[in-house]
Amino acid sequence: MSMNTNSSLPIEYQSEQSRLNILGFWIFIGAEIILFATLFAVYGVLKPRTANGPSGADIFVIKDVVVQTLLLLTSSFTAGLVIYEMRRNRLKGLILWAVITLLLGGGFLYMEINEFIHYVHSGATMQTSAFLSSLFVLLGTHGAHVTLGIGWAILLMMQLAKRKITPVTAGKVHIWALYWHFLDVIWIFIFTFVYLAGVL
């Protein structure tokens, strides 16, 4: 592993290995974009196929979805503050904003689980129609990614508590923040093209 460092760069870019890891993660994000683009396309094709079951207008609770959106967008802002504190080598501030980000992400997941329970109680399951199958897969895939992001951040905080902020750990935190922002962007598309388009 190369030990070359450039202290004139932000800490997460100082080591060559971290720069390569970040580049590799952008390639991974490209693959994730293809995954979600496919799920959106499937949803778009199957949306009219409700098989006389409930449509989006029948089951979506926009007020709750707006709260979910605010939770996730706020968590994106606090994830940015994680990077802000990291670049100033302030571990306590980094941990504080990371915990707040995770709480907001946890709140989002809690509401999403309640949303699924509401759907099932309304007679809307994956077996009801092609529309609902594609909806559950799209929302579930995003929710699984958020769950992964929360677990990832917890492991990162445990590593930071032991190794402190270094070019290596900073690179890992930066990659996690990229992932978290990516999930927020995907949610904006879900909010717009699934929920808003579903009730308008």
Side-chain angles (χ1 to χ4, degrees):
M1 179 185 297
S2 172
M3 298 302 291
N4 294 334
T5 59
N6 184 346
S7 59
S8 66
L9 296 172
I11 187 169
E12 67 270 26
Y13 289 103
Q14 288 182 4
S15 76
E16 183 178 358
Q17 186 62 47
S18 290
R19 291 194 294 274
L20 289 173
N21 289 343
I22 292 169
L23 174 62
F25 193 76
W26 276 111
I27 296 172
F28 170 76
I29 289 290
E32 290 281 275
I33 289 172
I34 293 172
L35 167 66
F36 278 100
T38 303
L39 295 178
F40 274 110
V42 170
Y43 175 80
V45 170
L46 299 180
K47 182 181 173 183
R49 301 185 180 182
T50 58
N52 295 321
S55 66
D58 297 322
I59 58 174
F60 292 161
V61 182
I62 290 299
K63 174 175 64 67
D64 291 349
V65 177
V66 168
V67 175
Q68 282 181 266
T69 303
L70 290 176
L71 286 172
L72 208 55
L73 292 183
T74 305
S75 77
S76 192
F77 175 72
T78 56
L81 293 175
V82 169
I83 300 301
Y84 177 84
E85 295 289 349
M86 180 187 76
R87 288 179 175 171
R88 280 148 189 80
N89 200 31
R90 296 196 291 230
L91 182 59
K92 287 184 179 178
L94 186 162
I95 297 290
L96 172 65
W97 287 113
V99 169
I100 292 172
T101 302
L102 296 187
L103 290 174
L104 291 166
F108 170 85
L109 281 179
Y110 173 78
M111 294 199 68
E112 185 161 65
I113 291 169
N114 279 338
E115 178 187 3
F116 285 175
I117 294 172
H118 160 70
Y119 291 166
V120 171
H121 286 170
S122 302
T125 67
M126 287 190 73
Q127 293 76 30
T128 304
S129 66
F131 156 68
L132 287 168
S133 294
S134 61
L135 176 69
F136 274 105
V137 170
L138 176 59
L139 298 182
T141 301
H142 180 268
H145 278 68
V146 173
T147 304
L148 175 64
I150 289 175
W152 184 359
I154 291 172
L155 293 176
L156 273 178
M157 285 193 288
M158 293 170 63
Q159 190 173 74
L160 283 163
K162 184 177 180 180
R163 300 182 182 176
K164 312 304 178 190
I165 299 174
T166 69
V168 173
T169 57
K172 294 177 181 178
V173 173
H174 181 72
I175 288 172
W176 169 80
L178 287 175
Y179 178 79
W180 197 259
H181 292 312
F182 167 73
L183 296 181
D184 290 345
V185 172
I186 293 296
W187 181 257
I188 290 171
F189 279 96
I190 291 175
F191 178 74
T192 304
F193 296 110
V194 174
Y195 292 108
L196 288 185
V199 298
L200 295 178

